Amino acid sequence: MAGDEMSRIPSYEDEQTLREKLRDISLEHWVHEDLFSFNWWLLLAASILPFFIWWRLVDKCRLFEIVTFGLICAIFACFLDVVGVSFLLWGYPDKLFHFIQPLVPADFVVIPVSGMLIYQYFSTWKSYAAAAVGLGILFAYIIEPLFSLLDLFVLIHWKHTYSFIGFILFFLGIRLLMMGLKSAAKK
């Protein structure tokens, strides 16, 4: 009987049972290990402080355009993060919120704020591409290893070099999309 049970395709109910168990384990871990720890406070600060810096630097005359760029960055960063976590390419041992897998400060704050700043300050493709490479180096070879050291980020089936290439393509692709949207809006 056990062999028959193991050979059947898992049902939706089987998935739900595992999700419930994972939810309960995740909440227990978060309450006892993450909440109010040093890493939790670091994640909270990383979720708030960049916006204060950004608000002082943002060109208020182009606010709508720049915020649109940032929102596109956040949407794509979150989507890519969900895919990476789901395929077990990387993971986040410590979380700001137990019910959100992606790293909220990175996907919704640091990556979009950094993207908005290079979008604002580097108007030519050449200068923007150089800034995108700079961000790729910063994120892949400095921030990711630092977050790995602090146990905020774990590489499973991934390498920092993949992130480096990914960040460059990410920022170039978002700018290309933004330029296409601006061109379509003018017509």
Side-chain angles (χ1 to χ4, degrees):
M1 176 78 58
D4 290 339
E5 200 171 301
M6 293 300 289
S7 65
R8 71 177 179 86
I9 296 173
S11 67
Y12 178 74
E13 288 77 21
D14 294 333
E15 287 184 48
Q16 278 304 102
T17 301
L18 288 173
R19 279 192 193 106
E20 289 170 7
K21 186 180 246 183
L22 182 59
R23 177 203 60 206
D24 295 344
I25 291 169
S26 177
L27 178 59
E28 186 174 346
H29 170 82
W30 184 75
V31 168
H32 295 290
E33 298 291 326
D34 295 348
L35 186 61
F36 304 125
S37 68
F38 172 79
N39 283 354
W40 186 86
W41 288 106
L42 184 64
L43 291 172
L44 183 64
S47 298
I48 298 169
L49 295 178
F51 282 118
F52 287 105
I53 296 166
W54 172 79
W55 186 250
R56 293 188 56 83
L57 298 175
V58 69
D59 179 356
K60 311 283 189 302
C61 295
R62 296 176 54 207
L63 190 62
F64 184 79
E65 174 186 351
I66 293 168
V67 168
T68 301
F69 183 91
L71 289 172
I72 293 169
C73 281
I75 290 166
F76 280 100
C78 184
F79 173 77
L80 292 170
D81 220 356
V82 167
V83 169
V85 169
S86 295
F87 282 102
L88 302 175
L89 300 175
W90 58 80
Y92 301 106
D94 293 341
K95 298 171 194 70
L96 187 58
F97 305 110
H98 85 279
F99 50 86
I100 300 177
Q101 279 298 326
L103 192 61
V104 171
D107 295 341
F108 295 109
V109 183
V110 176
I111 291 170
V113 165
S114 301
M116 287 186 287
L117 290 174
I118 68 167
Y119 180 76
Q120 174 179 313
Y121 286 110
F122 299 94
S123 57
T124 67
W125 271 105
K126 186 176 181 178
S127 65
Y128 181 87
V133 169
L135 279 181
I137 291 168
L138 175 69
F139 289 150
Y141 297 118
I142 297 171
I143 293 176
E144 279 186 2
L146 177 63
F147 273 41
S148 292
L149 186 68
L150 293 170
D151 241 1
L152 291 166
F153 179 68
V154 175
L155 297 173
I156 301 169
H157 299 289
W158 196 254
K159 296 185 182 328
H160 295 299
T161 300
Y162 302 160
S163 293
F164 170 65
I165 295 165
F167 279 119
I168 293 169
L169 294 174
F170 175 85
F171 287 115
L172 293 176
I174 301 287
R175 185 171 195 264
L176 186 63
L177 175 61
M178 191 68 185
M179 301 310 259
L181 290 172
K182 284 176 59 176
S183 176
K186 287 181 182 176
K187 291 182 180 178

